[in-house]
Amino acid sequence: MPQPVLSRVADFLGITSLNSIGRDAYIIIALRSLRMFTAGIPSLILALFFASLKFPDSRIGVFMTLTLLGDVMLSLLLTLVADKLGRRRILFMGSVMMAGSGVIFAMSESFWILLIAAVFGIISVTGGDCGPFRAVEESILSGLTDEKTRSDVLSWYITATTMAGAIGAEFAGRTVQALEKSSGNTTSAFHALFWAYAAFGVLGSILCLGLSTRCEAAGEKRAEMVERGRGGGNGEEEEVLLEAITPSTTDGFEESGERIARQQQPPPPPRKQSYFSQISKPTRSIMFKLWMLLGIDSLADGMTPYSLMNYYVDQKFHLSKATLGDITSASQFLCAVSAVFAGPLSKYIGLINTMVFTHLPSSIASAFIPLPSSVGWTVALMLFRAALNSMDQAPRTAFIAAVVKPDERTGVMGITSMVRTLAMSAGPSITGLLSGNGTFWVAFLATGICRITYDLGLWVLFVNVKVDKDVGRQADADSVDDEAWNGLLSDTESEESDEGNRSWDFERGQRGV
């Protein structure tokens, strides 16, 4: 019987893959969509809010820089310990901190109090998600998916959240305008928006409560072991497993006694390691190259972000602010729509090919934006660049998830986010140096060169890297020794086991689970 048309469309667009993951995937996507929606509030009004409080421009610049650096350091710390503290706990803490910072911004007008609240509340000064939570969420989604569904689910994660960011920026702008007209007090309007920001943080914390234990590193490891036939089945399957890992003996009694003695001995204290050393050498050998390339790409993005492109177009063609806003909204909308097709495309041509073949035309378009003398062709190039600009994000995350061990994913993705944020923060300063005396076009040319370097570097260094279901998972599963596995089975199944299953079978020299 031929597959229905709607079912084939759902398979192609990745909707089937998203549905197969279940509630956790929808909650994660909703959580970041909510966060991206609210990120438009501080990014749009923060500088205006400080100006209404009569803060000098120098203080506003210092605030932006210190907030960004504080976010980077806090993000790195939280992502490196997220698997130990609990991923759900980190996400819940993030929503609570977001709500707390919103309350402080709504009530306080002290520069230093606001700065502390901005750092610990991960206030976005750029409109993007600069905190640790995207890395944690991508690690969760990578653990919930496999090589067949991962790129589809991550594509919808990018699409939904990008669309939410575009809507949030539009909402914030119109709300500020309406509040200013109704109250006549600009500062009061800004305070009201921060109360809304706090409310969204409370809603996010409620969403976090719906996440299951599958989102944790331990739950992910158990699921992978079950998939590999190492547990989680019925009692008969577990008996076969235990028999296979138990040495055969003639009588079994002496061996059983020795095994009891070994199990009763306290384990040696774990050797203290730095967080970075917990990332294996094979992972580091791959990620050092990727981090270098991502730094170049992020530097390029920081040199010509939407705000500076709008400034360039305004200076060249003197368009209205409403028209510039429409161009930005259209660009973000195209980013969101095109990201849907990144997952299906990566199934046919591969992750690296998808990243390079979609991002390279966008990179070339970036270099040519200053060339047209008409506003129509300039805007067309900007929209073409935006349409392909985000199609590498989901394949990139899927590639990282596939080539690193599961227990390294959160930390690696956190370091990746830190590298990208730091490189991006240097971009505007470089643009300022390059664009003096009417030479703004040099910044666009430098952006294109950096982005093309990133694309060609990806192709040369990673096109031959094989990615399949065993990469990043096989070594992790094999590293679990028998005694650790027995302990895991005992812990996870103890509540379901009856008294008879806890008896010793001395003839076979093993313990029944």
Side-chain angles (χ1 to χ4, degrees):
M1 181 177 179
Q3 191 178 16
V5 175
L6 290 179
S7 179
R8 290 200 300 269
V9 172
D11 289 342
F12 176 77
L13 295 179
I15 299 175
T16 303
S17 299
L18 183 61
N19 288 332
S20 68
I21 306 305
R23 182 186 66 185
D24 289 323
Y26 286 108
I27 293 178
I28 291 295
I29 292 175
L31 188 61
R32 185 166 187 259
S33 296
L34 180 68
R35 201 166 58 249
M36 287 298 294
F37 180 87
T38 56
I41 295 177
S43 66
L44 182 66
I45 70 172
L46 201 58
L48 300 175
F49 174 61
F50 288 152
S52 71
L53 297 179
K54 309 302 181 185
F55 289 166
D57 291 344
S58 58
R59 275 206 166 190
I60 296 176
V62 169
F63 184 94
M64 300 291 185
T65 301
L66 292 179
T67 299
L68 182 61
L69 292 176
D71 289 347
V72 168
M73 299 307 297
L74 186 63
S75 299
L76 179 61
L77 174 63
L78 291 179
T79 51
L80 288 175
V81 301
D83 286 350
K84 294 183 178 179
L85 294 181
R87 297 170 181 172
R88 292 177 298 168
R89 187 174 297 171
I90 292 293
L91 294 178
F92 179 80
M93 288 169 52
S95 296
V96 172
M97 290 189 297
M98 175 181 167
S101 64
V103 170
I104 292 175
F105 269 79
M107 298 181 64
S108 176
E109 296 182 356
S110 168
F111 176 85
W112 295 108
I113 292 177
L114 294 177
L115 177 62
I116 295 173
V119 172
F120 286 95
I122 319 291
I123 290 286
S124 174
V125 298
T126 63
D129 195 3
C130 57
F133 312 112
R134 176 175 178 174
V136 175
E137 290 164 354
E138 288 178 342
S139 180
I140 291 174
L141 291 178
S142 298
L144 294 173
T145 55
D146 56 27
E147 77 286 352
K148 295 180 181 179
T149 60
R150 184 170 294 136
S151 58
D152 288 335
V153 173
L154 290 172
S155 295
W156 279 106
Y157 175 77
I158 299 297
T159 297
T161 56
T162 303
M163 189 71 71
I167 297 173
E170 185 75 13
F171 167 81
R174 294 187 179 276
T175 303
V176 168
Q177 185 176 1
L179 290 174
E180 282 182 336
K181 289 182 178 180
S182 62
S183 66
N185 188 323
T186 303
T187 304
S188 298
F190 293 147
H191 281 306
L193 269 181
F194 282 118
W195 279 116
Y197 186 88
F200 284 126
V202 173
L203 181 58
S205 64
I206 295 174
L207 282 176
C208 290
L209 299 178
L211 295 172
S212 71
T213 56
R214 296 170 59 214
C215 300
E216 303 291 355
E220 178 183 331
K221 186 181 291 289
R222 283 195 294 271
E224 289 182 1
M225 289 179 174
V226 169
E227 184 179 338
R228 290 171 52 83
R230 299 194 66 170
N234 54 36
E236 184 177 344
E237 292 173 344
E238 293 166 0
E239 186 177 352
V240 172
L241 168 65
L242 290 172
E243 185 174 0
I245 64 176
T246 304
S248 60
T249 59
T250 54
D251 54 16
F253 190 85
E254 275 185 22
E255 184 69 22
S256 177
E258 294 174 1
R259 194 174 184 87
I260 296 173
R262 286 198 305 269
Q263 291 178 345
Q264 290 177 346
Q265 290 178 355
R271 185 175 58 183
K272 189 174 182 180
Q273 295 178 316
S274 67
Y275 290 120
F276 191 77
S277 66
Q278 296 176 17
I279 300 176
S280 62
K281 289 184 178 180
T283 295
R284 277 180 274 172
S285 67
I286 292 177
M287 292 308 303
F288 278 145
K289 302 172 186 176
L290 187 57
W291 285 331
M292 178 185 65
L293 293 174
L294 289 174
I296 295 174
D297 179 56
S298 298
L299 177 64
D301 288 341
M303 290 170 64
T304 53
Y306 284 122
S307 58
L308 289 182
M309 282 194 289
N310 287 337
Y311 175 76
Y312 169 78
V313 173
D314 179 61
Q315 294 296 309
K316 186 175 182 179
F317 300 109
H318 306 289
L319 300 179
S320 67
K321 299 299 184 291
T323 302
L324 292 175
D326 292 339
I327 294 172
T328 302
S329 297
S331 298
Q332 293 180 334
F333 177 78
L334 289 174
C335 283
V337 172
S338 63
V340 175
F341 300 96
L345 186 60
S346 64
K347 293 180 181 178
Y348 289 96
I349 66 174
L351 298 174
I352 295 298
N353 287 338
T354 301
M355 294 167 65
V356 174
F357 295 158
T358 59
H359 198 261
L360 185 58
S362 175
S363 302
I364 296 173
S366 298
F368 283 94
I369 286 176
L371 188 61
S373 58
S374 66
V375 63
W377 281 107
T378 301
V379 173
L381 279 174
M382 292 173 63
L383 295 179
F384 177 79
R385 171 194 176 275
L388 299 177
N389 191 50
S390 297
M391 291 187 70
D392 68 321
Q393 293 187 30
R396 180 178 67 229
T397 303
F399 178 78
I400 294 174
V403 298
V404 305
K405 295 168 63 176
D407 56 357
E408 297 173 340
R409 283 178 187 150
T410 307
V412 166
M413 290 177 178
I415 295 174
T416 302
S417 177
M418 179 199 71
V419 170
R420 288 180 56 81
T421 303
L422 287 177
M424 191 178 298
S425 65
S429 299
I430 296 177
T431 297
L433 295 175
L434 295 176
S435 59
N437 299 322
T439 57
F440 206 123
W441 62 270
V442 178
F444 285 95
L445 180 61
T447 294
I449 293 173
C450 288
R451 286 164 61 99
I452 292 171
T453 301
Y454 160 75
D455 296 324
L456 297 181
L458 277 178
W459 174 261
V460 172
L461 295 178
F462 297 107
V463 69
N464 293 321
V465 175
K466 295 182 179 180
V467 177
D468 55 43
K469 64 182 180 180
D470 292 328
V471 176
R473 297 170 58 194
Q474 182 79 23
D476 183 69
D478 290 342
S479 67
V480 183
D481 59 20
D482 290 341
E483 290 185 7
W485 173 239
N486 286 335
L488 178 62
L489 282 177
S490 298
D491 292 340
T492 57
E493 301 295 334
S494 59
E495 294 182 359
E496 300 177 2
S497 301
D498 54 28
E499 190 64 27
N501 285 337
R502 296 192 185 95
S503 63
W504 285 95
D505 184 353
F506 289 103
E507 292 182 359
R508 301 179 65 179
Q510 65 182 28
R511 183 181 181 185
V513 179

